Amino acid sequence: MTFIALSSGALHFAENLEFGVANLIPVDPFDLIIFGGSGDLAMRKLLPALYHRHNDGQLPAGSRIISVSRTPMAREQFVLLVRKAIEEHANAGAPGDAWHAFAERLHYVDVDALAPQSWDSLRDLLEGHEEKIRAVYMATPPSLFGPIAQGFAERGLMSPDMRIVLEKPVGRDYPTAREINDAVGRCFPESQIYRIDHYLGKETVQNILALRFGNSLFEPLWRREVVDHVQITVAEQLGVENRIDFYDDIGALRDMVQNHMLQLLCLVAMEAPSSLEDDAVRDEKLKVLRALRPITQNDAHTSTVRAQYQAGAVDGKAVTGYAEALGRQSDTETFVAIKAELDNWRWSGVPFYLRTGKRLAAKHSEIVIQFKPIPHSIFSESSFTTRPNKLSIMLQPNEGVKLSIMAKQPGPGGFRLQQVSLDLSFAETFGATYPDAYERLLIEVLRGNPALFMRRDEVETAWQWIDGIHAAWQARGQQVEAYFSGSWGPTQASLLLDREQRAWELGT
Ligand code: BG6
């Protein structure tokens, strides 16, 4: 049996594995330095992810996790915080025997990245460890990415095998993204810079590659002659919670579309790369981003919807609206729907409808490839009308692939058609629980494989398209619409498709 596994240099296929189980190849000894090391991302995602990899025996002896933040704190206190975070977020039960060995790896130093003298303790900790892989993870506001990179360069803390990881968002628009990329790029070559989009680490997102390029079946169908349109929905039930002040400056377009949604679009729309090596996939994704037709002031009102959640009920529980939680009125969107179009031969005339929002009816992410209707029906009206085929790639929470086809209802008399699905649930088929995206991405950083990370040109091209939409909204004074928490978004989002005699798969 074959199953996709990851190893140094590229994503590749590992032979002779038991069905459903990818092999775990240990990484080389490393020092992972996490700036923002006591922050939300580190505690909720990064440290639990590392704990899982440690539990699976993937982290070699001598490897250290060095958390860096501005708050002075004793190592023991930090270790207790991490233990609590792991109990809460690692889904691994109470930390068992493996915990003590994991705790030994943990170090904590307080550094103010902007204060030159405060780097001494970090320098002391790193001295003499130059032969190991050195990875610096910046889980900080993007304004610190440049100064931290410079801090390493100026203090001679570079090691031959060094990697710099930038958490999203890289900037808030094209000019700020360029500034950050320039600042980090002055200290490190592009090959050492890893820009995270955690969607690329999700197992089911990678399965898009397996589906498209591991099967010959779909390629002839994957084009404008056969596909009517594509829908990409990333719906969340959570509101913006305790990130509201940060979020209010960002909004859904920058928070979700610039990165996650566009990356999904790229994986669906790109041409077949020649391999899965570092740049091959990224080159193809870049071509898609460059083919995105700009949305202008003239078509923003027919191609985009922006909206904000009001009070309502999610899963039967009453919740407050965005503005109430913020304590003031705001024009920030928590929902966005976009009709995107690609100006290239494969996809010309095929709309890609993107939709994402917070406080929606369900947590549900799905890509739907909607095929064209049959050209002529041989069935009588009483057979029920045929429905076009569709392929649904379910990303979360129930990962799988579903192909809807028409079938004859069983029975001796008459000829009645019914839509049924060929349904593949990954959980049932592989019986495996999926690692969190950050587990995979951290291991890829340590292996030195940048294929699953965004290259500078991808990030900047995506920002240019997003900036165009922002500019169009501003020029038109396009207001945020309202939607109830617990709904599928504003009616305007349904109209976006309704106008073109189409409908969202979910929630209309
Ligand atoms: C993050 C966004 O990048 O992705 C959040 O900043 C969002 O606002 C999150 O909630 C969604 O990720 P996931 O993995 O839960 O779909």
Side-chain angles (χ1 to χ4, degrees):
M1 281 297 166
T2 42
F3 188 81
I4 292 180
L6 294 168
S7 86
S8 110
L11 285 161
H12 78 156
F13 288 89
E15 297 294 335
N16 303 322
L17 294 174
E18 286 306 308
F19 187 61
V21 184
N23 59 351
L24 292 174
I25 305 162
V27 294
D28 292 334
F30 62 86
D31 278 342
L32 173 66
I33 304 135
I34 306 176
F35 278 76
S38 61
D40 189 57
L41 181 74
M43 291 296 173
R44 263 189 325 110
K45 291 287 183 185
L46 304 181
L47 291 158
L50 289 161
Y51 180 63
H52 279 145
R53 294 301 89 229
H54 166 89
N55 266 350
D56 280 348
Q58 216 172 359
L59 309 188
S63 297
R64 302 183 301 173
I65 299 162
I66 303 171
S67 278
V68 181
S69 94
R70 276 192 312 185
T71 320
M73 185 175 0
R75 179 175 177 275
E76 295 66 34
Q77 196 187 345
F78 173 70
V79 170
L80 280 179
L81 282 184
V82 177
R83 190 184 164 104
K84 204 163 146 257
I86 282 173
E87 281 168 357
E88 228 172 290
H89 301 294
N91 297 328
D97 293 348
W99 161 254
H100 299 289
F102 182 73
E104 303 256 295
R105 299 183 186 283
L106 299 174
H107 297 261
Y108 181 83
V109 280
D110 54 292
V111 172
D112 178 350
L114 300 175
Q117 66 291 357
S118 92
W119 283 67
D120 294 352
S121 42
L122 180 59
R123 195 186 43 222
D124 293 348
L125 206 54
L126 293 177
E127 222 160 49
H129 289 264
E130 290 72 18
E131 80 293 352
K132 288 194 241 168
I133 291 164
R134 184 171 290 174
V136 180
Y137 197 120
M138 303 198 198
T140 62
S143 55
L144 288 178
F145 295 171
I148 294 172
Q150 205 180 340
F152 274 84
E154 281 174 356
R155 286 168 188 82
L157 297 177
M158 317 283 264
S159 78
D161 216 351
M162 188 137 178
R163 285 125 218 206
I164 293 285
V165 187
L166 309 184
E167 183 53 47
K168 80 163 253 285
V170 179
R172 68 186 310 282
D173 51 21
Y174 174 57
T176 50
R178 271 190 61 174
E179 255 171 54
I180 292 167
N181 285 330
D182 283 346
V184 178
R186 277 194 285 275
C187 310
F188 294 93
E190 180 64 24
S191 60
Q192 291 182 348
I193 303 172
Y194 291 65
R195 295 177 192 80
I196 292 246
D197 180 324
H198 78 276
Y199 268 52
L200 294 178
K202 285 183 190 269
E203 197 84 24
T204 41
V205 171
Q206 295 184 4
N207 245 314
I208 301 171
L209 293 177
L211 185 81
R212 288 197 58 198
F213 306 120
N215 300 289
S216 59
L217 179 66
F218 298 110
E219 169 53 22
L221 307 177
W222 220 256
R223 57 192 63 252
R224 59 190 288 272
E225 291 81 1
V226 192
V227 174
D228 179 75
H229 72 275
V230 177
Q231 297 183 12
I232 304 180
T233 295
V234 176
E236 297 185 85
Q237 275 190 316
L238 284 178
V240 290
E241 318 298 310
N242 51 9
R243 295 161 73 220
I244 197 157
D245 289 324
F246 159 81
Y247 189 92
D248 198 53
D249 188 39
I250 298 286
L253 186 64
R254 291 188 174 101
D255 185 46
M256 293 295 288
V257 183
Q258 188 270 343
N259 33 74
H260 308 324
M261 304 289 287
L262 287 185
Q263 287 292 321
L264 293 178
L265 184 150
C266 285
L267 292 175
V268 172
M270 72 184 187
E271 296 299 318
S274 57
S275 74
L276 290 178
E277 295 293 332
D278 305 350
D279 275 327
V281 175
R282 302 195 289 184
D283 287 345
E284 294 306 331
K285 286 193 291 169
L286 181 64
K287 287 184 205 159
V288 175
L289 292 168
R290 288 190 172 145
L292 277 167
R293 183 180 304 167
I295 290 177
T296 65
Q297 191 182 343
N298 294 337
D299 48 34
H301 63 300
T302 48
S303 298
T304 68
V305 174
R306 54 192 304 262
Q308 188 185 88
Y309 63 77
Q310 314 290 299
V314 177
D315 268 349
K317 215 176 117 211
V319 288
T320 52
Y322 179 86
E324 283 162 271
L326 186 67
R328 59 184 158 80
Q329 291 306 308
S330 159
D331 186 48
T332 298
E333 78 285 349
T334 57
F335 174 101
V336 60
I338 300 175
K339 175 187 170 186
E341 287 175 280
L342 292 172
D343 287 329
N344 62 21
W345 272 44
R346 188 185 283 267
W347 296 117
S348 176
V350 178
F352 282 69
Y353 298 106
L354 314 178
R355 173 176 65 158
T356 184
K358 298 211 180 273
R359 283 271 167 82
L360 296 181
K363 179 168 174 71
H364 188 98
S365 304
E366 182 171 336
I367 299 170
V368 179
I369 316 292
Q370 183 75 61
F371 294 98
K372 291 197 164 157
I374 51 168
H376 162 72
S377 178
I378 61 168
F379 306 104
S380 67
E381 292 220 340
S382 62
S383 306
F384 295 165
T385 33
T386 57
R387 300 250 203 94
N389 300 118
K390 68 178 184 231
L391 178 73
S392 309
I393 305 168
M394 274 107 44
L395 304 177
Q396 51 193 26
N398 302 315
E399 298 86 351
V401 177
K402 207 154 71 173
L403 181 64
S404 301
I405 58 168
M406 297 307 295
K408 179 189 170 297
Q409 274 179 4
F415 199 106
R416 284 169 179 271
L417 291 173
Q418 187 180 336
Q419 191 172 41
V420 288
S421 353
L422 304 175
D423 210 339
L424 168 70
S425 149
F426 291 143
E428 276 173 29
T429 306
F430 293 107
T433 49
Y434 290 147
D436 186 76
Y438 280 97
E439 291 181 45
R440 178 179 299 275
L441 293 176
L442 283 163
I443 293 293
E444 291 302 286
V445 169
L446 297 170
R447 285 198 200 296
N449 175 17
L452 293 182
F453 299 83
M454 292 185 293
R455 216 168 48 192
R456 174 178 186 154
D457 45 12
E458 278 182 79
V459 173
E460 293 181 0
T461 309
W463 272 126
Q464 284 171 315
W465 190 69
I466 293 293
D467 286 358
I469 299 177
H470 270 294
W473 283 350
Q474 240 164 20
R476 289 185 48 78
Q478 192 161 324
Q479 301 295 319
V480 279
E481 313 291 346
Y483 64 99
F484 290 116
S485 289
S487 71
W488 279 102
T491 44
Q492 288 80 356
S494 305
L495 289 177
L496 185 76
L497 272 72
D498 196 47
R499 247 183 257 130
E500 304 183 344
Q501 289 79 51
R502 297 180 175 119
W504 293 105
E505 267 309 306
L506 269 171
T508 26

